[in-house]
Every structure is written in C-alpha cells, then in structure tokens.
Amino acid sequence: MNQSFKSLLGGVLSLTLVACSNDDDDEMMMEPESQAYRIKITNLTHFQPLSPPAAVLHDDSSHWWMIGSAASEALEKMAEGGDASDLLALLPDNTRHAASDVLLPGMSHEFTIETDDMDENRLSLVGMLVNTNDAFSGINGLELGGLQSGQTEVVYTHAYDAGTEMNSEAAGTIPGPADGGEGFNAARDDVTSVVTMHPGVVSADDGLTTSTLSAGEKFDNPTLRIEITAL
Amino acid sequence: MKKTLLALAISAASISAASAQDLTISITNLTHGSHFTPLLVSAHPADSHLFEVGMAASANLQAMAEGGDTSGLITDLNAISADVSDNPAGGLMMPGQTVTFDLMTAMDNSNLSVVAMVLPTNDGFVGLDSMAIPTMAGTYTYYLNAYDAGTEVNDEIINGGGAPGAAGIPADPLGSGGTGATGVTENESNDKIHVHRGVVGDSDASGGFSDLASRVHRWLNPVAKLVIEVK
C-alpha cells in the first residue's frame, strides 16, 4: 500500500509541478550536490532481536534479494547468522550504514546516511530475526527519489524467509538468545529453496514439541517500522 | 494515510472510470509452503463482486475455494461482459512464483478482482474484491490476504476432497503433509467469508490431528503481491 500511495502521490505532485510551470518567477532548478536521510528503525516484535541492521543506498541495478529467486550466499549468511558484512561487500563503493549493535524488541535505532551520488536513490536495509532459523526483515530497493526535503515516509516491513535452512526450530539451529545455536551453515535444506515471506515460528507452546522456541518468539507482520526523512 | 489513499483513488477513478485500459499485471505467491490453484483475474463493473467479506460465498466461489474450480465464476463473469484472464500462470503457482500478463479492459470494466485457492487448505483462498483500477499511468503495488470461504470445516485432513461440499483437502502439492489425521475440528462457526485464521498443522506425518505440517503450511498475511502497471 505504501508504494501505491507513493505512486499516486507522485502523480499528484507532477500535476502540481505542471500547474506551476507557467509562473513567471520560476526558480532555476539547482542540481543538489548531496542528499542526506535520517532513518529510524523500530523493532515491532515481541522477542525477536534484530541482528545489527545494515543499510545501503544504491541505484536500480542491484537487489539484495528477490522473492522467488534463490538467496545469494551473502544473504544466507545474514539470514542464518545475522552477519550482513558480505551483503555490504557486494556494493563496495556505495553509501552504507552498519549498526554495531543488535536492535532489541521495542527499541529504535536512528542514523543519518548521506550520499553525493544522485543515482543512489534507493534504500535497502536488512537484519535477521535472530530467534529463527533463517528469517529476516527489511526493505528492498525502496525508491527515495520522490521524497522532498523535510518529507517523511514510513514503511512497515514484512518478515522474509531466505529459503536456505529448514524452519526446524530444533535446539542448536538458532543463533539467537532463545537457543544459542548455530548461525550460518552453507548446506541448504529448506522445503522451498527461494526467498519468500516467512510463515512465522510454531514454537513448543503451539504444539511443536521439538521446538526450542516458546510462544515469546512468535511474531506477525509487520516486523519493523522504518521512518525515512529527507534532510 | 489510508483515507487519503482512498480519496485519491476515488477522485482518480472518477476522472475516467469508463475508459478502456491497457494493464500489465504481476501476481506473486509470497507464501513459503502453499501453492495457488489456477488464478482468476478479472476487470468488471464496479458493482460486481466475486466475493464480499461478511457475506455468504456463492456456489461458484465455493467451488473455487474448496477445489480450485473457477469455471462457474468464469461463466458468471462472461455473463456481465467482464474481461477475464483465466489461469495466466498455466497451472499451480509455486511458493515465491510470479506471473506477469497483460489485461485489456473494456469500457465500464473499472474494477479488478482476483481469486485462487490456497492449497493445501480446506476452503482458503487469496482474494481481491472489486478494487477500483487506478486510471493515472503508473505502477501500483498492493498486498492481498488469505480468506476463508466459510463453506467447509477446516479439518485439515488431506483426502482428495475438492468437490463443493466434500470434506477434506484435495492435495498437498509440496508433499510435506501427512496422512491419517483425526481432524483439527468438526465445527465451522463462521459461515460467511472472513479473513482466514491460518492453518494449525502438526509434526506427525502419520497421524495427529492435522495432515498439514505446522512448520511448512502456515502463513502470515499478506499471501500475495499484486502489481498493476497502468499504461
């Protein structure tokens, strides 16, 4: 819905610009030399700490993931073990932000990201829901170009499944504090081997007696609130 | 935000609701472990509906929701000169799969509906109910939820039962389900179309109360992504 809203808004704005273009006192459009964004991430889950979130600005030529396509190994490392460094390394020259700490449920992380490359007009942002086998959340190439200085856009994110590890919920397979088990493992054994949305965790309290998770680790969409303000 | 969106959508629709349109539509199965039966996508007059939440399902909607049979709904749509895309994916849609197709809409067919059964469920379906198609050129994104037709008990027994009124689930295309379940419930207390409460499932492949796998066949809404490109 957010994107559809934005598209509609874009249409309205462009109509407004057309309407104004006959004004006599048109200002010269100055090509901006840099663009900064203030970004605030809030973890909306009950007990799914988010691995240190990573964000990157990029053009329309790259994706960290695509629904229906197999995850890259870099995405797998982040989704299974919470380490986003390989994802950031895929875009070595891009403007980025890497948080240093886990984002606990109910908490927010705020940062400013600034680019002098006007082609870097999309934002991607990820973190792992660490009390899962391979769930992550974030945004995937959100267009920021329509955001005027001072404007804020709020996006609510879904939880995704990397499709690289079976959601066994077995003891020893989940790196977060609910289990303290294994993170990244290159083996792929998921029932669906492409990135999809995540089905949620079952937990021992909800009938999966072999699960190392409890009802406290259950989550629903949306999982993150992300507020983006163009400065 | 939603009110604004609605207002914009309505004002945009009122500009030229009666015009023919040239659309490219993409639909993605976002689930991790559920298939969609052949999709039915249609543009039709604003006062027509394939389903409405809070209302009882028609016999033809029931046939779609319980067994994936869209032939009756297509007969209904042809009777009102709707534009129909029948089975654009050419069969079942796998988890993560996207199908993209064109839809030319005739004058007065201003609204879009989408339905497909979510398999394996008893009578769950992904749906969009008569949404006004944007008229301004642009790309619009929507997320669709899973509904329950309210016509069949959600017993979660896979027994081939796909005919309207026949108990049970026709099949599990992923092959992750079990057999020999005793049934989750014998009651369906809401016989109107409602948001699906999700499936329960268990981890017993040869018994238990459900033939669905709790770690595979559950989902969290939304279950589908719809992108409409208006040219």
Side-chain angles (χ1 to χ4, degrees):
Chain A
M1 279 311 234
N2 282 312
Q3 272 183 312
S4 65
F5 173 75
K6 206 175 142 203
S7 303
L8 285 166
L9 191 64
V12 171
L13 286 174
S14 61
L15 286 175
T16 311
L17 290 174
V18 169
C20 292
S21 64
N22 290 331
D23 286 0
D24 293 328
D25 55 351
D26 268 355
E27 290 178 33
M28 286 290 289
M29 285 296 288
M30 297 288 284
E31 186 68 24
E33 291 177 349
S34 70
Q35 176 64 55
Y37 300 96
R38 188 88 184 139
I39 297 174
K40 181 181 176 187
I41 313 169
T42 304
N43 182 340
L44 303 178
T45 67
H46 175 260
F47 190 51
Q48 286 290 345
L50 189 73
S51 66
V56 65
L57 296 176
H58 57 89
D59 62 18
D60 62 1
S61 65
S62 46
H63 288 278
W64 269 345
W65 74 89
M66 284 181 74
I67 298 284
S69 295
S72 65
E73 186 165 279
L75 187 82
E76 180 180 5
K77 279 183 179 168
M78 186 279 300
E80 295 183 8
D83 178 3
S85 55
D86 280 12
L87 280 177
L88 287 170
L90 291 175
L91 299 164
D93 301 324
N94 289 56
T95 308
R96 81 268 319 290
H97 170 81
S100 50
D101 292 317
V102 164
L103 180 59
L104 293 173
M107 304 300 285
S108 295
H109 173 64
E110 206 167 342
F111 61 94
T112 300
I113 191 166
E114 182 168 5
T115 180
D116 55 11
D117 177 354
M118 291 302 114
D119 290 332
E120 289 189 337
N121 59 1
R122 287 165 191 257
L123 172 69
S124 288
L125 188 158
V126 286
M128 179 193 182
L129 305 182
V130 299
N131 285 326
T132 66
N133 290 95
D134 63 342
F136 66 100
S137 192
I139 51 183
N140 193 12
L142 178 74
E143 284 185 61
L144 301 176
L147 213 54
Q148 306 296 312
S149 179
Q151 279 188 328
T152 296
E153 178 168 357
V154 176
V155 178
Y156 289 89
T157 70
H158 299 142
Y160 299 98
D161 188 309
T164 56
E165 179 179 336
M166 177 68 187
N167 295 332
S168 68
E169 302 182 23
T173 68
I174 291 173
D179 181 38
E182 184 183 47
F184 169 67
N185 182 323
R188 298 197 176 192
D189 62 350
D190 207 331
V191 65
T192 290
S193 56
V194 295
V195 179
T196 64
M197 276 185 49
H198 198 280
V201 298
V202 181
S203 84
D205 292 324
D206 199 7
L208 184 64
T209 53
T210 56
S211 175
T212 191
L213 303 177
S214 70
E217 282 82 57
K218 290 178 78 74
F219 59 87
D220 202 347
N221 292 314
T223 47
L224 304 175
R225 179 184 187 275
I226 299 175
E227 191 179 292
I228 305 150
T229 303
L231 300 177
Chain B
M1 189 96 160
K2 274 189 178 156
K3 268 189 186 166
T4 316
L5 170 63
L6 195 64
L8 282 168
I10 289 168
S11 63
S14 63
I15 294 168
S16 56
S19 305
Q21 287 189 281
D22 183 0
L23 310 174
T24 297
I25 294 175
S26 291
I27 296 176
T28 302
N29 176 354
L30 295 174
T31 70
H32 192 63
S34 306
H35 284 62
F36 294 166
T37 61
L39 281 167
L40 175 57
V41 181
S42 175
H44 51 75
D47 59 355
S48 305
H49 300 270
L50 296 180
F51 72 96
E52 289 180 89
V53 287
M55 306 287 280
S58 68
N60 289 334
L61 188 91
Q62 179 181 5
M64 182 282 299
E66 294 187 13
D69 177 6
T70 54
S71 59
L73 290 175
I74 291 171
T75 301
D76 294 343
L77 288 164
N78 287 338
I80 57 169
S81 301
D83 305 297
V84 173
S85 180
D86 171 19
N87 190 15
L92 294 177
M93 283 186 74
M94 296 186 302
Q97 187 179 341
T98 297
V99 59
T100 301
F101 54 96
D102 294 328
L103 185 67
M104 300 286 288
T105 70
M107 206 190 288
D108 294 327
N109 285 340
S110 61
N111 283 41
L112 191 76
S113 288
V114 177
V115 291
M117 180 186 184
V118 177
L119 199 63
T121 65
N122 286 90
D123 61 340
F125 67 99
V126 53
L128 175 72
D129 170 29
S130 194
M131 183 191 73
I133 301 166
T135 52
M136 281 190 291
T139 301
Y140 304 82
T141 300
Y142 308 89
Y143 289 97
L144 312 185
N145 293 324
Y147 297 92
D148 187 305
T151 55
E152 183 178 318
V153 171
N154 292 355
D155 63 11
E156 302 188 8
I157 296 174
I158 300 174
N159 62 357
I169 294 173
D172 166 28
L174 213 54
S176 300
T179 57
T182 55
V184 171
T185 178
E186 295 177 347
N187 299 309
E188 186 75 16
S189 58
N190 186 347
D191 61 3
K192 307 294 192 298
I193 295 167
H194 53 275
V195 172
H196 202 290
R197 60 192 183 269
V199 300
V200 183
D202 62 24
S203 52
D204 187 341
S206 57
F209 56 70
S210 174
D211 284 336
L212 304 184
S214 59
R215 286 173 290 190
V216 174
H217 293 127
R218 291 186 178 192
W219 66 81
L220 300 176
N221 279 323
V223 295
K225 180 179 179 180
L226 165 69
V227 179
I228 304 175
E229 184 190 345
V230 179
K231 289 165 196 166

